[in-house]
Amino acid sequence: MRNELEIMERIERYLDGELSPEDRAAFEKQLADDPGLREDLQLQQDLMSGIARAAWKDKVQQARRRYVRRQRFWKGGTGGFVVLIVVVALVWRPWVHEGHRKPYMLPAAASVLDTTHRTDTTRKTETANPAGRVASPGAVGLPWKITLPGVVDSAGARFALKKGQHDSTSKKVDDVDTHLPPETFRIDATRDTVVETKGGIVFAIPAGAFLLDDGQAADGAIQLLVREALDPASIIRAGLSTLSGDQLLESGGMFSVNASKDGKALRMDPARGVYAEIPTDSVKPGMQLYSGKRLTDGTIDWVNPQSLEHDLVPVDMQTLDFYPHPYLDSLRSWGYNSRTKAFTDSLYYSFAQLFGSDQGTGVVTFRDETIMPGAPQRSDDRQVTDTVYPQRDSTSNRRDLPCNINPAKIKAIWNKQFQNTLLATREFEERLRWIHRTGNGAILDLYVSHLDRNLSDIDSMAAKLLTRQGKKMLSEKFRYFHDRKDGKVRNGSGQFQQLRDYYQQKEKLFTEAAVQTEREFRATQAEADRRRQAHQEDSVSRVYWNYKQEMAFNLSRVCRQLGYDPALAVRPPARYVYRARLSILGWCNLDKAVGSATRDRVTTSIIDAQTGKNAIISYSPLTIQVSGSEAYDRVNVYLLPDKLSSFIRLSGDNKKYEGKLNDGMTYNLVCIAYKKEQAFYHYESNIGAGDHPPLMPDMIGAAELDRRLNLVGRGTQAVDIQKENDWFRFEFTDRTRQENWDRTNALRCTVMRLLFPCLLLKERECQFMY
Amino acid sequence: MSDQTTIAFIRADKTDKTLDSLYSFFPAVRKMILRNGGTRQDAEDIFQEALIVFYRRIKDPNFLLTSKPSTYLFSVCRFLWKDELKKRRLIVSGEPEFLAGPAEAADAGIGEAMEKENGARLAEKTLTQLGERCRELLLLFYNRRLKLKEIAGMMGYTSENTAKNQKYKCLEGAKNKLRELKQAARTL
């Protein structure tokens, strides 16, 4: 043990450079030899670093607090500050994420100050309060009124002050002052100033906050005297009471502020007031503001509790997050860029289509819901639904699964129309997260319909509504919000009715727009699907008819070779007649032989059993290559036989195309290649069998290509090949759309499952929906 | 605060004033981070960490600042954020100026400095795991540089020697914890 301590001491002295040169050299040698010692050294160094870092971090965080405070003060003030109590004990709740403090604004009426002027001491007179209650005249006054928010705490008040503990003589009053030494600040009354006391109270004093006796604003240098009693010990030491009647109150802290200029006491300007932030560790809902009333026996009684109302600070809407909670985080965790608002918005708002009343499109929608009794009535006839119930089948009516509210509602409020309303506040942002979870759009409607009310009032309305719907837990949550007593935005936008109307209109509009977009989306896809289908059918049909026609042709040749009149037997079937039946009489055997020869495209010799004559159908192979084929996106090689009404597409990978030429026909060759949208074209008439040198198609414009294709081939070949060409052109341009569609689909479906679990979408159902 | 003043103040350990002045650059950093896949909280954290690194670098006698402090601070923030993105393996389509450009442009030694900072960060963690008295003692000694005698008085030790022994015991405890943490980090 000792040894280790000694080692550590040595290391420390080495690090501090306190070793003599010889010791130092010896130590370094030891270091070189002993890895354990090296490790020790490194650890100790790290520890030193860590300690320094801890201290440094602390400073940084203090700096941050100061920064935040500066920002909040200068940005948060809306117009004038409301007059504040000079001595106030307040509690507020620390901001959840950042530990910032919420400012309290007290109504002017609540401020109370005693005016006293004691002639029996040499003390300076203290300030007078122009508004509010004044203590009973003649009372030997304390220079402040203490107002305490308090709750009756029967479980044991923090301060077990007994009644009558106070000595009612003025001597005790002196004690109070002496036990609480003041802090003095010198400020320039003509400038906005922020001061911070030792105890951590921050005062924001606007310019001209103090008035001289004649009502003029004080200017120049003034003196502020602040006394604080923020912890129980100080309060007790100061002899301050926490009694209201005979009820014990719980204090959040007390302080007094007095201002003077050149020895003369100043008053506070009721129109401006001073803004105070007092640090607290815990939230105490139910806090109220008590006014201090000085009784004739010298004690202070706390009377007239008023609920605290604090103003909301509006922020820029764009900095708020109105999405339902897991949305952005999930997107981010799936690797999407959740910062691009255009993207996150468009994806989220597209789900408004789920709330459309349109039933016939096959789009999954939610069943229309009748208005819940007691919910705010809507003057317009409702086209859009408020609450979501899954439609799938009545047995799977999962009301217990949550579903988020209509995104169109969010879109209707998340814009600059609602800047400077209570929607544009962090307080509302917090509530909105829970509103999403209620799955009940009527709750959101409540907030939008009552923009002129206090947030806490709307909270309680929401809580009532939720209770009526039997959602106890959520109702509790809104009751908890209500207890925070959040107020309004001062000097906010007054256009309440207009905003209400705007909201209702927009919600409808956006929902319908989303439904429309969805419809168009599907229509486009349906169209593409249809075309693809048509093309496939065409191809199949073409191959079939080619076969039939070639078969007929071969048959007639064989007939001729065998000496029969082909006219008897064969008529090339018409292509576009349905249900045409080939009637080849009496040639069943030949039929089969010719049929298989045609189908397999192999040279076949057919012997007529009756006559012994010999007929041949012969096919020769053809190989086509296209030079530079890897560079093309698509290469198609077509044969245009003169005896068939359509073309033959040669199969082959991009490199080699193989086919069999019927010796009885002449073939023209067409090759169309595409590099992106640029077409390349090659034409050869009367192509012969065998291997050919690689084709080199030439660049060609779309219109020119059409013209050429019109000229090639005979009969319907031109039409057919053009159709084919058109399809490939379409398919290429559509490919991007198709890929995007597929990709978006997957994402949309996943997000839909996330945000609207009541739909009970399974993963594979995502395919069926689209 | 002018640039020279900032640097001078930092080197003279007049930290509060310089911090307040440096914090005025926070909005720009926040913008950058928000634009490149981060949250407000990320911006706060990165900025704070950057200030610490910044401080360390400025105090390092071997380091020569060749640009304005604000520029350097910003580039440290960018470096840290890129690093963080790499750690989180986030695919981010951010601004091209952010994505392009070498992170270490402003300071060749920053990679190494970050490494060292990691050690310090771990050590800081061990401090929080020590008991209150140990932590208090170490902070009083090393940060506020009080004499052992004063510390003994403040903390109620019987003698200066007791305080000294306690200090080393605490240090040892911290060392062991740090050793464990480092081991754990290595095996991850």
Side-chain angles (χ1 to χ4, degrees):
Chain A
M1 232 349 214
R2 273 239 75 132
N3 196 25
E4 267 110 51
L5 296 189
E6 278 178 4
I7 292 178
M8 282 174 50
E9 192 168 358
R10 268 192 93 194
I11 293 181
E12 188 161 289
R13 295 180 63 201
Y14 170 72
L15 286 176
D16 287 341
E18 281 175 17
L19 291 179
S20 66
E22 309 84 44
D23 285 341
R24 195 187 165 79
F27 188 76
E28 280 173 353
K29 176 154 192 317
Q30 255 187 301
L31 273 179
D33 295 334
D34 181 0
L37 186 64
R38 282 203 294 278
E39 194 202 358
D40 269 345
L41 177 72
Q42 182 63 48
L43 287 176
Q44 220 159 313
Q45 266 177 318
D46 285 340
L47 277 176
M48 300 301 121
S49 279
I51 293 174
R53 196 191 141 88
W56 182 234
K57 198 153 184 194
D58 210 40
K59 285 199 180 289
V60 170
Q61 285 178 339
Q62 280 174 26
R64 190 193 153 276
R65 280 197 278 275
R66 292 196 293 273
Y67 170 78
V68 165
R69 215 180 292 128
R70 282 199 297 276
Q71 297 303 309
R72 295 221 110 235
F73 172 50
W74 298 122
K75 292 198 175 138
T78 51
F81 296 107
V82 177
V83 163
L84 248 217
I85 298 206
V86 167
V87 178
V88 162
L90 295 175
V91 170
W92 73 80
R93 37 221 87 211
W95 196 254
V96 171
H97 299 302
E98 303 167 351
H100 96 211
R101 299 112 134 219
K102 258 210 294 179
Y104 265 34
M105 303 289 263
L106 299 169
S111 68
V112 270
L113 235 207
D114 209 1
T115 63
T116 60
H117 180 92
R118 290 207 306 269
T119 51
D120 54 338
T121 67
T122 52
R123 299 183 61 77
K124 297 202 247 261
T125 54
E126 314 287 3
T127 59
N129 173 20
R133 285 146 271 224
V134 178
S136 45
V140 177
L142 289 167
W144 64 90
K145 271 211 196 2
I146 301 159
T147 58
L148 277 181
V151 290
V152 175
D153 185 355
S154 56
R158 303 278 180 273
F159 322 105
L161 293 173
K162 299 193 197 64
K163 199 171 178 182
Q165 179 178 354
H166 296 295
D167 189 341
S168 55
T169 63
S170 57
K171 181 166 182 306
K172 191 69 180 172
V173 166
D174 283 339
D175 284 347
V176 179
D177 286 347
T178 52
H179 281 297
L180 283 183
E183 229 177 306
T184 312
F185 297 94
R186 284 211 145 61
I187 65 170
D188 180 349
T190 55
R191 302 177 67 176
D192 296 324
T193 319
V194 177
V195 301
E196 182 178 357
T197 67
K198 285 207 205 76
I201 305 179
V202 177
F203 293 102
I205 303 151
F210 296 105
L211 304 175
L212 301 163
D213 272 342
D214 56 7
Q216 296 291 351
D219 65 353
I222 62 177
Q223 211 180 30
L224 283 175
L225 243 63
V226 180
R227 288 191 180 79
E228 47 192 8
L230 293 179
D231 58 283
S234 313
I235 295 181
I236 294 177
R237 248 182 307 150
L240 296 168
S241 119
T242 57
L243 288 172
S244 169
D246 50 9
Q247 279 182 337
L248 220 43
L249 302 174
E250 192 176 313
S251 165
M254 314 179 190
F255 63 83
S256 86
V257 175
N258 295 300
S260 61
K261 182 180 164 69
D262 303 330
K264 290 192 57 134
L266 299 173
R267 302 183 293 142
M268 204 185 295
D269 184 347
R272 287 173 190 260
V274 167
Y275 186 82
E277 278 188 8
I278 298 97
T280 185
D281 286 328
S282 55
V283 172
K284 298 256 164 82
M287 277 296 181
Q288 291 180 304
L289 200 58
Y290 284 73
S291 314
K293 187 169 155 165
R294 188 122 204 141
L295 301 178
T296 44
D297 65 358
T299 54
I300 293 180
D301 194 19
W302 304 109
V303 297
N304 230 338
Q306 283 182 321
S307 46
L308 296 172
E309 177 191 302
H310 53 277
D311 285 350
L312 304 175
V313 174
V315 299
D316 181 5
M317 261 212 169
Q318 299 306 318
T319 60
L320 297 174
D321 175 6
F322 280 175
Y323 295 120
H325 174 60
Y327 180 59
L328 281 185
D329 287 337
S330 305
L331 278 184
R332 201 176 305 140
S333 72
W334 294 329
Y336 291 91
N337 181 6
S338 62
R339 301 314 304 183
T340 314
K341 197 156 195 304
F343 164 64
T344 53
D345 275 354
S346 75
L347 179 58
Y348 177 61
Y349 294 146
S350 73
F351 294 115
Q353 53 103 183
L354 296 169
F355 292 81
S357 58
D358 189 317
Q359 295 297 327
T361 60
V363 172
V364 173
T365 57
F366 300 122
R367 206 171 50 219
D368 242 326
E369 232 246 319
T370 54
I371 302 176
M372 298 284 296
Q377 298 302 315
R378 307 250 273 194
S379 50
D380 57 328
D381 57 341
R382 305 199 32 209
Q383 297 291 335
V384 296
T385 60
D386 251 1
T387 313
V388 165
Y389 290 117
Q391 195 195 1
R392 290 316 193 65
D393 53 286
S394 49
T395 57
S396 72
N397 204 3
R398 295 295 300 273
R399 288 172 191 238
D400 52 328
L401 275 187
C403 247
N404 284 296
I405 61 179
N406 187 353
K409 290 183 188 282
I410 303 296
K411 187 170 182 179
I413 62 173
W414 203 352
N415 55 57
K416 61 180 191 291
Q417 301 291 336
F418 288 89
Q419 292 281 31
N420 229 13
T421 65
L422 57 79
L423 298 185
T425 58
R426 296 218 177 276
E427 291 84 351
F428 178 71
E429 186 191 32
E430 219 181 326
R431 284 150 176 80
L432 186 56
R433 264 188 222 123
W434 287 91
I435 297 176
H436 277 298
R437 282 187 224 193
T438 67
N440 187 352
I443 307 271
L444 178 56
D445 296 344
L446 278 177
Y447 285 87
V448 184
S449 317
H450 296 103
L451 290 173
D452 51 334
R453 306 278 291 269
N454 282 333
L455 202 50
S456 60
D457 292 336
I458 315 178
D459 291 332
S460 92
M461 283 191 251
K464 288 203 190 79
L465 178 57
L466 286 165
T467 313
R468 260 205 299 275
Q469 293 182 340
K471 305 211 180 144
K472 286 217 73 193
M473 203 196 75
L474 287 166
S475 175
E476 283 296 308
K477 188 74 196 176
F478 281 87
R479 210 181 309 281
Y480 168 76
F481 280 131
H482 161 75
D483 287 339
R484 290 210 197 156
K485 303 237 170 286
D486 290 326
K488 329 179 189 193
V489 170
R490 291 277 148 176
N491 304 330
S493 158
Q495 323 273 8
F496 302 123
Q497 183 57 41
Q498 277 127 305
L499 287 174
R500 227 196 313 254
D501 294 338
Y502 175 86
Y503 170 70
Q504 286 178 356
Q505 276 172 13
K506 287 297 182 184
E507 180 193 342
K508 221 188 333 167
L509 224 70
F510 290 144
T511 308
E512 282 169 9
V515 171
Q516 183 64 19
T517 310
E518 179 68 15
R519 235 186 266 142
E520 282 166 5
F521 224 28
R522 299 173 124 257
T524 320
Q525 180 67 13
E527 174 65 17
D529 285 344
R530 194 197 58 73
R531 283 188 76 155
R532 182 180 302 270
Q533 180 81 343
H535 175 253
Q536 242 162 321
E537 284 171 2
D538 274 354
S539 305
V540 167
S541 153
R542 188 186 65 245
V543 168
Y544 173 75
W545 284 108
N546 279 349
Y547 166 72
K548 285 288 182 208
Q549 288 176 343
E550 185 152 353
M551 157 91 166
F553 170 76
N554 284 341
L555 203 48
S556 93
R557 282 185 79 199
V558 165
C559 279
R560 222 174 273 121
Q561 288 176 47
L562 296 182
Y564 299 103
D565 179 3
L568 278 181
V570 170
R571 207 175 56 220
R575 174 111 184 258
Y576 294 106
V577 175
Y578 289 169
R579 300 200 206 145
R581 301 190 64 198
L582 293 178
S583 44
I584 300 172
L585 306 170
W587 298 100
C588 297
N589 291 341
L590 277 180
D591 256 8
K592 285 212 177 67
V594 173
S596 65
T598 314
R599 192 181 49 241
D600 301 332
R601 301 181 84 78
V602 290
T603 303
T604 314
S605 156
I606 298 170
I607 303 177
D608 186 355
Q610 290 182 330
T611 60
K613 280 206 193 157
N614 188 358
I616 296 196
I617 308 171
S618 60
Y619 285 92
S620 316
L622 166 73
T623 314
I624 295 287
Q625 283 169 307
V626 178
S627 133
S629 55
E630 311 79 31
Y632 298 108
D633 291 321
R634 199 169 189 82
V635 180
N636 289 313
V637 179
Y638 304 100
L639 291 176
L640 302 171
D642 60 339
K643 299 285 189 315
L644 300 182
S645 62
S646 188
F647 60 85
I648 301 176
R649 179 142 72 91
L650 289 187
S651 61
D653 53 18
N654 256 6
K655 298 190 182 310
K656 230 185 342 185
Y657 297 84
E658 293 177 324
K660 294 274 184 55
L661 300 182
N662 186 332
D663 281 354
M665 303 193 196
T666 338
Y667 293 83
N668 298 330
L669 175 88
V670 164
C671 172
I672 306 179
Y674 278 97
K675 208 183 287 197
K676 289 217 192 318
E677 300 191 310
Q678 174 63 49
F680 296 77
Y681 179 72
H682 178 91
Y683 174 77
E684 247 179 78
S685 62
N686 215 341
I687 191 155
D691 285 329
H692 287 262
L695 308 179
M696 300 215 278
D698 308 310
M699 272 211 278
I700 189 172
E704 175 71 9
L705 178 58
D706 277 348
R707 197 182 66 81
R708 294 279 189 91
L709 290 180
N710 256 334
L711 300 175
V712 302
R714 48 153 231 159
T716 51
Q717 278 177 343
V719 173
D720 281 352
I721 205 167
Q722 265 185 329
K723 243 197 193 169
E724 172 101 344
N725 187 43
D726 282 344
W727 159 253
F728 280 122
R729 261 211 298 257
F730 168 79
E731 198 236 352
F732 178 76
T733 51
D734 194 63
R735 194 180 307 164
T736 334
R737 188 202 61 80
Q738 185 69 43
E739 276 166 17
N740 280 342
W741 168 273
D742 291 335
R743 217 187 1 245
T744 321
N745 261 0
L747 176 62
R748 283 195 71 192
C749 206
T750 321
V751 175
M752 199 184 293
R753 286 179 69 218
L754 175 77
L755 296 181
F756 302 98
C758 67
L759 284 185
L760 293 179
L761 285 177
K762 308 240 191 340
E763 269 191 77
R764 59 179 175 76
E765 285 182 312
C766 287
Q767 272 76 28
F768 297 147
M769 268 169 68
Y770 296 94
Chain B
M1 189 180 278
S2 81
D3 298 339
Q4 287 73 25
T5 324
T6 307
I7 301 178
F9 271 25
I10 292 180
R11 293 217 168 110
D13 283 326
K14 284 200 165 80
T15 49
D16 285 351
K17 287 201 169 77
T18 53
L19 281 176
D20 284 341
S21 128
L22 287 173
Y23 240 100
S24 63
F25 299 119
F26 178 60
V29 170
R30 181 177 56 199
K31 216 198 250 182
M32 181 231 342
I33 290 185
L34 286 181
R35 282 218 188 111
N36 287 286
T39 64
R40 254 168 268 133
Q41 189 58 42
D42 289 332
E44 302 266 7
D45 296 338
I46 293 287
F47 191 68
Q48 288 186 10
E49 186 64 35
L51 283 174
I52 298 179
V53 172
F54 176 78
Y55 171 79
R56 267 211 200 279
R57 293 303 281 151
I58 300 271
K59 288 207 79 165
D60 183 345
N62 296 327
F63 174 68
L64 179 65
L65 182 64
T66 52
S67 55
K68 286 164 71 85
S70 55
T71 319
Y72 180 62
L73 180 62
F74 196 79
S75 73
V76 171
C77 290
R78 200 169 55 186
F79 174 78
L80 288 177
W81 181 238
K82 272 188 160 172
D83 209 42
E84 180 64 22
L85 285 178
K86 259 190 245 155
K87 265 190 239 156
R88 295 187 190 174
R89 277 188 274 266
L90 267 188
I91 311 158
V92 156
S93 52
E95 305 168 318
E97 313 93 66
F98 173 79
L99 295 173
E104 292 84 359
D107 177 11
I110 192 162
E112 197 185 306
M114 287 295 304
E115 278 301 309
K116 288 214 194 101
E117 198 62 29
N118 285 334
R121 215 173 289 133
L122 271 182
E124 193 195 348
K125 229 193 215 165
T126 59
L127 285 181
T128 58
Q129 291 177 0
L130 290 179
E132 264 304 309
R133 270 182 85 73
C134 258
R135 186 160 192 267
E136 179 86 16
L137 173 58
L138 290 177
L139 285 177
L140 283 178
F141 185 79
Y142 288 108
N143 276 342
R144 295 188 41 191
R145 306 239 160 235
L146 297 178
K147 296 270 182 271
L148 275 172
K149 197 155 171 204
E150 288 179 56
I151 298 181
M154 280 176 74
M155 297 203 58
Y157 292 121
T158 45
S159 74
E160 191 178 329
N161 258 332
T162 323
K164 184 153 96 157
N165 279 334
Q166 270 306 108
K167 178 192 104 184
Y168 283 126
K169 281 212 184 114
C170 286
L171 213 47
E172 173 156 39
K175 254 168 80 171
N176 288 333
K177 280 215 166 63
L178 182 59
R179 196 181 282 124
E180 277 173 31
L181 276 186
K182 276 194 163 179
Q183 265 302 91
R186 244 179 300 222
T187 54
L188 268 177

